[in-house]
Amino acid sequence: MVKKIKNWIKKMGEKRTGILLCFFILITGVLIYRLFSLQIIHGEEYADDFNLKITKTRALKSTRGNIYDRNGNLLAYNQLSNSVTLEDNGTYNNRREKNLALNSEIYYLVKLIQENGDSLNSDFHIKVDENGNFIYDLQEGSTTLNRFRADVYGKKHIDDLTEQQKQASPDDLMNFLMDGANTSGFGLFHSKTPYKKEELASAGLPDELTKQEQLQIVIVRYQLRLTEFMKYMPVTVATSVSDATVAAVKENLSSLQGVDIQEDSKRVYVDAEYFASILGYTGKPSAEELEELQDESTTYNSSSIIGKSGIEKYMETSLQGKDGFEKVTVDSVGKVLQVDENTRQNPIQGDDVYLSIDKDLQEAFYRILEQRIAGVLVMNLQNIKSIDKATIEDNSSFPIPIYDVYTALIDNSVINIDHFSQEGATELEKSVLAKFQQKQADIFERIQLELTGAVPKSYNDLSAEMQEYMTYIVDDMLMANTDILDSDQIEKSDTVYQKWKAGTISLQEYLTYAASQNWIDITQISDEKTYLNSTEVYQALADYISKTLSADTKFSRLLYHYMLMDDLISGYDICQLLYDQNILTKDDQEYQEFITGRLTPFDLLSSKIKNLEITPAQLALDPCSGSVVVTEPNTGKLLACVSYPGYDNNRLANQMDTEYFKKLNNDLSSPFYNKATQQRTAPGSTFKLVTTAAGLTEGVIDSRTVINCTGRFGEGLVDPTDYLNCVVRTGHGPLDVVNAIKNSCNVFFCTTAYKLGLDENQHFSQNLALSKIQQYANMFELGEKTGIEITESKSQVSTSLPIPSAIGQGTHSYTTVALARYVTTLANEGTNYSLSLLDKVTDSSGNMVEEFAPKADSSLDLSDSTWNIIHTGMSKVIDNIDELNELPIDIWGKTGTAQESDLRPNHGLFIGFAHGESQEDISMAIRIPYGYSSTNAAMVAKDILKYYYNLEDRDALLSGTAEQEGASNVHND
């Protein structure tokens, strides 16, 4: 046998095929051996080696630095909390399997979190409304909404969106994100190969998800998508969760792939309402913010928490701190396999920021301001339905009808009209809703008749109520809110347009004509792709108006107003609704008196406003806001920067309360709008000190100059448009400059402006007079920003009308901080400081990092005699105000009453500075927009000085009730 094998091998060796066959057998054996070695003998070892190839650095989040006031009182700090995190570290065979697994896990996790009273983190701008529909929580057309659309569609810039994507509805975006047939979709459904019931059941998902469940899964999946290239970085699903949630999650960790509980921190603001306008709040960065921050530091990412506004934003890089890191080993799909503890570098807390603000003063001055504004409201409140403002000559004497209060409680969402149709609505709420629906049906029928009827009425022939509805449709719905009626396309000289403005044609005639002239943007009101003629365009527009009005909350509130005026709803109903919705408490004697009829609705609401149970901010009537800025005269440091009303920035930081944010955005008192740094009005007579400086320095007046005030300026001197009455119509008689300041004499300062405008030939030049006023206003830097570190509007020095400009009217428009720098310069005799909120920055151990010294921008070169005249005049002003004159300290001041509208009260202003032995000197600027009279601003100053110099019991000053002592509507400057 062996011999036969040898012979066979010998014969095969003599053939080429035999040699090749042997070679292949040998190679095959080697390959089989290698495969056996790789997969069986060393398989696990080689697999581990492959998985351990990828090492990543994972950031460890630092905590933000604290914010303190000048005395070391905490204003913002970090509180330890627990967060639920999720890491996409599962292993899947395909995308379908991944979607089912992740969606199932998130579905279960969300239920676990919500069952224990917590909620998801969400910066997602889609929500589910009370009718179960997806809606945006942003205004259509806003930059933030367009940026959100771009992020969802994966576009770097908004301009990269297609026209269709720019118009995407909430349903469009949700379908895009949910459809597993789309490569960017999360597979909540699959439009091409739908899930079978068995698949869903196996994954632990119901056959059909509710809209709310769909949204919750998408919110979490969307966060995971933002970090899909860093799977080793967990995303935070819920922050500041309860102990019950922590326990529930930990009990289920074995079935929750990638879920963990991590110790975290949340931002907390102390006494938020008083400081929100200064501090701002934190949140996750937008794409634009992230791009800007990454230019400064590459450590920022989409999950970073940054300052979104205020000092939090301005001092972002100081407060942010330095992230730590650790090296982790991940497999090829990003799953963490090992953490290298030896590489861990702990994070460093951000630096602490100390403000120049005094916490106690900021809080006290806010409360004083609110009490005084409420006092003005109560003083002017009358038990009447309405007034004809056009018939009232002096707009400092407008009463506030109680029916304006009733309407305001609905208009500013104090009373929630949406609750009328919700589960748990009271019988009164249901009754009011039924009346509203009847009113709505009636008005819609009448509007439809005007839009499509055969004989529509001209605007002037309509009732005042119907006129207001027509105006709302054109000015608000079709123009301001949507630009459907394109104002840029309208030919203002067109005859038909002029007839509409004159009210001699009907709404139907005007809009039909607008359609024929292509003034209507048809793309917003019709899905038709083919050409529409003007008749079809108008019909589409009429249909749009009818459909949109039914869902227009602002229009609904207008209907409620007329229901009140027509006594379909009573004042009693309004008061009872306040109790039904727990805005007022029933646990007091007043409620018992009200329900038994011993207290009228007028008396009840007057009392509630007086006790600040209903605040000026809630009513958003005139006045409803104000500002106080208090500085150190010799440094420009701010002791207080009050903007009323404030808001609770705790509800915006950490996990954004989107409902609260939306409420603030729609609040008619505009709490986001900083009244101290952004609101601008004319300065009124506070500007007369600039005119004084100009007149004295230019030599057109001196200390001996006497001008006879007859009560009116301008007759025989200038154009009749420059004729101005003095505050005392009968005249002050002869006055020198000091007494002109004391009595705030318009004639004296208008005459000074006239003299500033006389050229070498003694001819009056408007341009010359204006240039001199502008020159001296700019010397005080009134036209420049103050340097304050938070958002600030630029003030404007008047650009026309030199005579009115000399007394603080014209087109002057100044912020309160601009007036604060102005009075600071008056107090220190010429140094224009940059105003600052910052004192110093230290590290977390208290070591000095940076100290902020006063910064002088410029100085005024005025003579000592000029400063002496100005200060003497300001001291004399205080002599005229008994409540200030009686205080045992030295005070210098100037009042100002500025008119902006014939149909609203005047603005009240006061600037001044003070010296007392017990405290450092202070200077201040105070404004109450639409506050009737400067006297009311001066009374705020009185209370501030009493508090600051401890001249009265501080608890008594901060009574928490409306303060009317000294309040007045008299226009005396």
Side-chain angles (χ1 to χ4, degrees), residues 161 177 240 249 308 379 522 535 701 756 828 884 938 965:
L161 291 167
L177 290 172
S240 303
V249 170
K308 303 287 283 186
M379 179 178 67
I522 189 62
T535 303
I701 59 170
L756 288 169
N828 65 45
L884 288 173
E965 182 188 2

Side-chain angles (χ1 to χ4, degrees), residues 409-442:
L409 290 166
I410 291 177
D411 280 353
N412 207 30
S413 300
V414 179
I415 292 174
N416 180 9
I417 59 177
D418 292 333
H419 191 264
F420 296 174
S421 59
Q422 293 175 4
E423 187 178 349
T426 65
E427 290 304 313
L428 175 60
E429 288 177 309
K430 292 174 183 177
S431 171
V432 171
L433 177 63
K435 292 177 183 178
F436 168 79
Q437 290 168 337
Q438 184 177 350
K439 172 77 171 179
Q440 186 184 53
D442 174 55

Side-chain angles (χ1 to χ4, degrees), residues 571-590:
Y572 181 90
D573 292 334
I574 292 294
C575 292
Q576 188 59 57
L577 287 169
L578 292 171
Y579 285 111
D580 285 357
Q581 296 192 356
N582 298 316
I583 296 153
L584 297 178
T585 177
K586 297 179 180 180
D587 298 330
D588 60 27
Q589 185 61 34
E590 285 185 325

Side-chain angles (χ1 to χ4, degrees), residues 99 144 238 621 708:
N99 284 334
T144 307
L621 296 171
N708 183 41

Side-chain angles (χ1 to χ4, degrees), residues 248-267:
V249 170
K250 286 187 173 180
E251 287 172 7
N252 291 274
L253 282 180
S254 60
S255 59
L256 293 171
Q257 175 72 36
V259 174
D260 198 4
I261 296 292
Q262 289 191 1
E263 190 176 85
D264 204 347
S265 64
K266 67 175 183 177
R267 199 65 163 168

